[in-house]
Amino acid sequence: MTECECNPSFSRARMSELLFETYGVPSIAFGIDNAFSYKYNQKLGNCNEDGLAISCEHGTCHVVPFLKGQPVLGACCRTNVGGFHITDFLRQLLSLKYPYHMASITWEKAEELKKEHCYIALDYMAELQIFKNNKEEADEKMRYWQLPWVPPPKEEPPSEEELARKAALKEKASQRLRDMAAQKRSQKIAELEKQLSYLEEVMEQLDEAEEQEATVILGRSGYLSQQEIKSAILKATQSLRKAKGESNGNDEKTDASAADKYPLVSVPDETLTPEQLKEKKKQILLKTTTEGKLRAKQKRAEEEALREKQEEKRRAENPELYLEELRARYSELSEKFEQRKRQKVNGGQTNGNHSSSGGVGRGERLNAAQKERMRLLASAAFDRGKGEDTFGMRDEDWLVYNKMSKDNDDDSNDDDESELVRITSKLQEIDPTFVSKSEAVQLTPEPPKVRPLTAEDYRIAIGIERFRCPEVLFQPGMIGIDQAGIDEMVSISLRRLMEDESVKERLCQSILVTGGSSLFPGMIPRLESGIRQYRPYLAPLKLVRAADPILDAWRGAAAFAASSKFGKQTFSLADYREHGENLFHRHNIVYSL
């Protein structure tokens, strides 16, 4: 069994126990692996009796001096870094670089990549500068590992049968929605007809009943007066016509409904009570306001039609000028609305009415026209009547509302808003590139489209990792191990050897590099460069790689087992049964062949 230098006797005892008691071997001999490799290469003429053995193994690295063919164990040096650490470091670097391919970067694959692509740089920092500055040379040093990749199937356009099937499904869904809407509309029509018939029946009962009986009928129906029932009948009729898709009638019906809505307007004042007179004044005001709104609406419609004709004429005469005028008007109205929003948020003047949330009070948002209306209301309600509520007793009191609505900016706001909507629609119709400010704010960026994966996404590039991972043999601190590199270990081993300088020079002329990790390209030149830094100027130095760094230790041990000395260096099963583990504590390692 081969073992490293200065292997604890406890480990040797456990191995012997396993071999004797489990496998029943007849005898065991122990020896140092790099000593067997050195002796075997000495027979081949690769090294002398006096020399150094640098062994780069799987888990450790050793430097052992040999004098007259025998290892000097007291001067050997060891570092707990080897091929295992290089493989694990490479696996970690590739996993961090390609986290989405971590399942493919196994330890076994990292070992294969290490043996195939890694090398040792003669100058580590200069090699890093190549990858940083010289792109062409760096590309030449790059290696790639292509993972299995299957191109996605190409999406073919749907066939006519598929399009027809989808169209049929879409039509079926649309028909189902139409049927649901028709059913809902029929249910609504039935409910409105039922409600209308009930209200008409109640009106017929009220027309035939006396005053006391009418009060009972009203209480049972839930309405307060016949006028309220008539209004409900009118609303139900209009809703029913709308549900059936019919028109709401002509102007005569509107006038008739208005007459029913304001019954006291046409009644002489002499026949009315004081309460009815007050109600009549209110109805007159409401009717006048309604009629005024209708006239204003009709006038606006006429003005709108006239303006449309004029704009169409200007557009036909000079389209470019017409488009510029629309854009200027749109910018003016947009800025006007933005200014109003800022006034609502920030307020006009500071009057100390700030809210706790950092905003402004209602008083700061009122403009001059709104403050004037509030003043008129306050003076009408309190000043004229000395605190009594006499507002509305005279006809001139209602002129206050004319004054209030004269500077009403709410109507102007509505007009501006409708004008802005109209100009926006015109611009969208004329200019296809036009985008309104409201749409620009609401636009959200489209989600990025998913790019289909290609073979490049499944290709792992190995560049700096090729020489960075084996560098841990010379700089173990890169992976957090505070120990010496293999070039420095030679200097430490020579200092421990209590011999004169001539002996050390003789040893340096026969340095054998063995072990699996010595197979990296560039190992011998890098070791020679590193060792020269610790040796005197122009001191002789010769390094040679073993004939077979991996199997030379086995071949040397096999040659020793075939020699006559092998029987004198073994433990027999009888010795183990007689002495037990104490036999291995006082036994020396085999070092002579």
Side-chain angles (χ1 to χ4, degrees), residues 98-307:
Y98 300 96
Y100 37 87
H101 292 315
M102 191 178 297
S104 301
I105 306 173
T106 60
W107 200 92
E108 291 76 12
K109 188 61 183 180
E111 178 76 12
E112 180 182 345
L113 293 174
K114 178 193 74 172
K115 294 179 179 179
E116 187 175 355
H117 299 298
C118 287
Y119 66 95
I120 294 178
L122 181 62
D123 188 342
Y124 181 70
M125 296 306 298
E127 200 76 8
L128 285 177
Q129 290 298 323
I130 290 176
F131 278 82
K132 181 179 179 181
N133 301 324
N134 195 339
K135 185 177 181 181
E136 295 181 358
E137 189 174 354
D139 291 341
E140 295 177 359
K141 292 178 177 289
M142 292 288 290
R143 298 295 182 269
Y144 298 96
W145 170 32
Q146 182 65 50
L147 294 176
W149 173 74
V150 179
K154 295 182 179 179
E155 295 184 0
E156 298 181 356
S159 60
E160 295 182 359
E161 294 79 3
E162 183 68 16
L163 292 175
R165 185 182 68 84
K166 291 183 178 180
L169 291 176
K170 186 176 181 180
E171 179 62 26
K172 185 177 180 181
S174 302
Q175 184 62 37
R176 184 168 62 251
L177 292 176
R178 288 194 292 269
D179 295 341
M180 292 173 61
Q183 182 181 2
K184 187 176 181 181
R185 185 169 58 253
S186 61
Q187 292 177 357
K188 185 177 181 180
I189 291 174
E191 292 176 358
L192 289 173
E193 289 177 347
K194 183 178 180 181
Q195 180 184 3
L196 187 60
S197 63
Y198 170 73
L199 292 174
E200 291 176 350
E201 182 181 353
V202 171
M203 283 299 299
E204 291 177 359
Q205 293 178 1
L206 290 174
D207 292 341
E208 298 174 357
E210 296 180 356
E211 184 177 356
Q212 186 176 3
E213 187 178 357
T215 305
V216 176
I217 294 173
L218 287 173
R220 188 169 57 248
S221 64
Y223 291 93
L224 300 178
S225 63
Q226 292 186 8
Q227 185 65 31
E228 190 175 355
I229 296 177
K230 290 181 181 180
S231 300
I233 291 175
L234 179 61
K235 290 181 180 179
T237 304
Q238 293 176 350
S239 300
L240 184 61
R241 288 175 179 173
K242 185 177 180 181
K244 291 182 178 180
E246 300 176 358
S247 60
N248 290 330
N250 50 18
D251 296 339
E252 294 179 358
K253 294 183 179 180
T254 304
D255 296 340
S257 63
D260 294 338
K261 192 173 183 180
Y262 310 112
L264 297 178
V265 173
S266 58
V267 179
D269 296 346
E270 293 80 7
T271 61
L272 298 176
T273 62
E275 290 77 7
Q276 290 177 339
L277 285 173
K278 290 183 179 181
E279 184 66 24
K280 180 180 179 180
K281 291 182 179 181
K282 294 180 181 179
Q283 291 183 6
I284 290 173
L285 176 64
L286 293 174
K287 183 180 179 182
T288 304
T289 305
T290 304
E291 292 175 352
K293 288 182 178 180
L294 290 175
R295 288 193 298 270
K297 184 177 181 181
Q298 184 177 1
K299 184 178 180 181
R300 283 197 299 268
E302 294 175 355
E303 293 176 352
E304 183 70 23
L306 180 60
R307 182 172 56 185

Side-chain angles (χ1 to χ4, degrees), residues 26-62:
S27 61
I28 305 171
F30 291 94
I32 299 174
D33 49 3
N34 50 37
F36 286 129
S37 179
Y38 190 86
K39 282 293 184 179
Y40 180 76
N41 281 273
Q42 183 182 346
K43 290 183 178 180
L44 297 178
N46 294 331
C47 53
N48 304 325
E49 286 188 353
D50 297 338
L52 289 171
I54 302 176
S55 177
C56 302
E57 302 162 2
H58 180 67
T60 58
C61 290
H62 293 86

Side-chain angles (χ1 to χ4, degrees), residues 1 19-20 24-29 566-567 569-575:
M1 293 295 301
L19 294 175
F20 281 130
V25 298
S27 61
I28 305 171
F566 178 71
Q569 303 289 344
T570 59
F571 301 113
S572 65
L573 180 60
D575 295 334

Side-chain angles (χ1 to χ4, degrees), residues 146-147 149 453-459:
Q146 182 65 50
L147 294 176
W149 173 74
L453 297 178
T454 62
E456 295 290 335
D457 299 318
Y458 285 84
R459 189 174 69 172

Side-chain angles (χ1 to χ4, degrees), residues 3-9 12 32 62 72-76 78 589:
E3 60 183 6
C4 64
E5 293 81 349
C6 304
N7 191 36
S9 57
R12 193 179 303 119
I32 299 174
H62 293 86
V72 183
L73 300 182
C76 68
R78 165 175 170 162
I589 300 175

Side-chain angles (χ1 to χ4, degrees), residues 521-538:
M523 169 63 83
I524 300 301
R526 175 64 183 275
L527 266 176
E528 184 176 355
S529 174
I531 295 173
R532 285 193 181 278
Q533 297 179 10
Y534 300 99
R535 295 296 299 152
Y537 179 65
L538 296 179

Side-chain angles (χ1 to χ4, degrees), residues 28-30 560 565-571 587-592:
I28 305 171
F30 291 94
F560 170 69
K565 298 180 181 180
F566 178 71
K568 301 178 181 178
Q569 303 289 344
T570 59
F571 301 113
H587 183 76
N588 293 326
I589 300 175
V590 174
Y591 54 84
S592 60

